[in-house]
């Protein structure tokens, strides 16, 4: 399996924002990928990740808002 970059439990893997985990889950802005739950600041980041999680978990990816 390819190496994945480390993402904090409350970090949006797309933009890097700190996210309230419970609020994101309540809004449906959480996604489980390879047995790890990721949370998102908004629907845009959620949809981008859902469509191509590998791109955002690549060790060379740098989140930017």
């Amino acid at each position: 399996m390819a190496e994945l970059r480390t993402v904090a439990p409350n970090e949006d893997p797309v933009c890097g924002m700190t996210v309230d985990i419970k609020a994101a889950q309540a809004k449906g802005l959480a996604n489980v990928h390879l047995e790890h739950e990721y949370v998102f600041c908004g629907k845009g980041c959620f949809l981008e990740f859902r469509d191509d999680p590998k791109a955002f978990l690549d060790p060379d990816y740098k989140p930017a808002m």
Side-chain angles (χ1 to χ4, degrees):
M1 183 172 156
E3 183 180 332
L4 302 177
R5 73 180 180 89
T6 301
V7 178
N10 65 339
E11 176 189 349
D12 182 319
V14 176
C15 69
M17 280 183 62
T18 299
V19 178
D20 180 315
I21 296 171
K22 294 288 183 203
Q25 291 168 334
K27 294 177 186 172
L29 297 174
N31 182 293
V32 177
H33 178 71
L34 299 176
E35 299 180 16
H36 180 85
E37 182 179 57
Y38 297 94
V39 292
F40 304 90
C41 66
K43 192 168 187 176
C45 286
F46 171 82
L47 293 174
E48 283 190 53
F49 183 88
R50 184 196 66 189
D51 292 345
D52 190 10
K54 282 191 235 174
F56 301 105
L57 297 176
D58 186 288
D60 294 328
Y61 178 77
K62 303 284 185 248
M65 291 196 281

